[in-house]
Amino acid sequence: MAKTKKVTITLPVELLESLKSHTDNVSGYLTELAERAERRRLLREELDRYQGEFGAFTEAELAEAQSLLRGSEGSASAA
């Protein structure tokens, strides 16, 4: 199990009530959201680094990536 540390955060009451209506574990829910945000931040940094080294992605590369992400791999090679 990952090491944890208890912290205090302040949330609007309406948001907290909404979160509680979706989960019994608000802490775990917020942890998952924070982990996703951190992965996106790290990915953005890596993509920026890559493009800084090799240049901007082409429209074809972006279209292929979108196709792969959407699970329609076959249509990417037809473009």
Side-chain angles (χ1 to χ4, degrees), residues 29-42:
Y29 186 83
L30 293 176
T31 297
E32 183 179 328
L33 292 176
E35 288 172 341
R36 288 182 189 180
E38 182 65 2
R39 285 191 301 269
R40 283 192 307 271
R41 184 188 67 77
L42 292 170

Side-chain angles (χ1 to χ4, degrees), residues 16-47:
L16 180 58
E17 293 306 316
S18 178
L19 292 175
K20 286 181 176 181
S21 74
H22 290 90
T23 183
D24 293 332
N25 184 356
V26 172
S27 180
Y29 186 83
L30 293 176
T31 297
E32 183 179 328
L33 292 176
E35 288 172 341
R36 288 182 189 180
E38 182 65 2
R39 285 191 301 269
R40 283 192 307 271
R41 184 188 67 77
L42 292 170
L43 177 58
R44 170 55 36 211
E45 284 180 4
E46 182 59 22
L47 291 171

Side-chain angles (χ1 to χ4, degrees), residues 57-69:
F57 295 113
T58 66
E59 289 298 318
E61 289 170 330
L62 292 172
E64 181 178 3
Q66 283 293 328
S67 179
L68 291 170
L69 288 170

